[in-house]
């Protein structure tokens, strides 16, 4: 597995809050979905989420990138909060090795304000959790070629495909095409380097 890191790339944002908000309002115009990632500073994600929410744009938050609590306002703004299994464990300080434990941890994030928690579980697939419990589930798909070459970006590809599905108007909970697309993207990403 490999990653390329460009130090400071996610910190080059306007320092003035008014300028930051204005930037995010412009960036949100015409958007069909807002995909946020926690390697970007929280203040930037909060400004982006506020602009998206005001414009009625659905918000998908990738919970990875930083090992810190998610601000309540970001948790509440997200239509889908997307941690992987280990991120869910860190966010809730709860075990997540079984589906029952994942459900309990996901419900904790729902109780804190998340609308839906979409947890990727590697070979165990993915599960969407809401206030009533498990809303949807999808099995992992086979990796093309039968062998994982590099799993580095599989979760990123999965979450990006969820965002595409949401942008296309697919209800990820009620329409299996959304999670199927995401599972296929994750499986494909694992079949190639990088």
């Amino acid at each position: 597995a490999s990653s390329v890191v460009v130090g400071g790339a996610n910190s080059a944002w306007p320092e003035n809050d008014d300028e930051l908000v204005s930037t995010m309002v412009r960036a949100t115009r015409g958007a069909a979905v807002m995909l946020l990632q926690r390697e970007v500073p929280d203040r930037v994600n909060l400004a982006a989420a506020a602009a998206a929410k005001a414009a009625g744009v659905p918000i998908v938050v990738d919970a990875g990138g930083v090992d810190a609590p998610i601000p309540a306002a970001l948790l509440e703004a997200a239509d889908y909060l997307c941690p992987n299994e280990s991120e869910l464990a860190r966010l809730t300080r709860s075990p997540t090795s079984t589906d029952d434990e994942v459900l309990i941890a996901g419900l904790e994030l729902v109780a804190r304000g998340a609308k839906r928690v979409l947890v990727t579980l590697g070979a165990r697939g993915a599960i969407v959790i809401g206030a009533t419990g498990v809303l949807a589930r999808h099995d992992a798909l086979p990796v093309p070629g039968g062998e994982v070459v590099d799993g580095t970006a599989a979760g990123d590809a999965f979450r990006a495909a969820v965002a595409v599905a949401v942008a296309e108007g697919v209800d990820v909970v009620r329409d299996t095409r959304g999670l199927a697309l995401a599972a296929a993207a994750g499986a494909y990403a694992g079949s190639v380097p990088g």
Side-chain angles (χ1 to χ4, degrees), residues 58-154:
I59 302 166
V60 177
V61 176
D62 181 340
V66 64
D67 187 12
I70 295 178
L74 186 57
L75 195 63
E76 293 165 5
D79 292 287
Y80 291 93
L81 175 67
C82 302
N84 64 28
E85 186 176 354
S86 62
E87 292 159 352
L88 178 64
R90 283 195 307 269
L91 288 170
T92 61
R93 292 183 167 43
S94 299
T96 58
S97 57
T98 69
D99 288 353
D100 287 341
E101 290 172 343
V102 168
L103 175 59
I104 291 166
L107 287 170
E108 180 183 327
L109 292 176
V110 170
R112 288 193 224 163
K115 293 174 191 72
R116 289 171 218 88
V117 180
L118 196 169
V119 186
T120 51
L121 302 168
R124 290 175 26 226
I127 188 169
V128 183
I129 300 164
T132 60
V134 175
L135 303 177
R137 177 170 194 104
H138 200 284
D139 292 334
L141 295 178
V143 173
E147 181 182 336
V148 174
V149 174
D150 186 349
T152 303

Side-chain angles (χ1 to χ4, degrees), residues 2 16-17 23-24 30 34 40 63 65 77 131 139 153 159:
S2 62
N16 177 287
D17 285 342
T23 297
M24 292 306 167
M34 176 74 69
V40 173
D139 292 334
R159 286 179 269 294

Side-chain angles (χ1 to χ4, degrees), residues 151-166:
T152 303
D156 295 326
F158 183 99
R159 286 179 269 294
V162 166
V164 168
V166 170

